[in-house]
């Protein structure tokens, strides 16, 4: 399996995903904006790149967050039509 699949396997094995419902990308982005307000317009992401290995990124865009959630296979809720 690729790295992302392996990371999700580990998280599922230890019941660490904690998802009771589908992830809503727009809701995640809205919460990110709120956190940015609190943290001086800055977010820091700790991103797993392999089991036991991470990178810290300060330049993740909202579109990249949406794309990553869509690619994750975590039961992402689709945006309401309208």
């Amino acid at each position: 399996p690729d790295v992302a699949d392996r990371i999700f396997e580990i998280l599922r094995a230890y019941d660490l995903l904690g998802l009771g419902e589908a992830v809503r990308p727009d809701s995640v982005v809205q919460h990110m904006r709120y956190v940015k307000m609190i943290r001086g317009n800055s977010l820091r992401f700790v991103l797993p790149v392999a089991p036991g290995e991470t990178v810290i990124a300060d330049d993740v865009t909202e579109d990249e967050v949406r794309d990553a959630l869509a690619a994750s296979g975590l039961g992402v809720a689709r945006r309401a039509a309208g």
Side-chain angles (χ1 to χ4, degrees):
D2 72 0
V3 171
D5 290 338
R6 181 67 186 124
I7 290 170
F8 283 118
E9 283 176 16
I10 293 167
L11 293 173
R12 283 186 192 98
Y14 291 94
D15 197 26
L16 294 175
L17 288 176
L19 300 174
E21 60 186 59
V23 175
R24 293 181 179 82
D26 289 333
S27 178
V28 171
V29 168
Q30 185 62 36
H31 284 85
M32 285 172 40
R33 290 177 185 154
Y34 178 71
V35 171
K36 278 178 79 170
M37 230 174 16
I38 293 171
R39 301 204 67 222
N41 204 31
S42 175
L43 286 177
R44 180 160 288 150
F45 290 81
V46 179
L47 306 170
V49 294
E53 184 180 344
T54 60
V55 296
I56 297 173
D58 295 318
D59 58 350
V60 178
T61 68
E62 291 178 359
D63 285 338
E64 288 173 323
V65 170
R66 286 185 181 96
D67 291 346
L69 290 170
S72 70
L74 294 176
V76 175
R78 300 209 183 259
R79 183 182 293 196

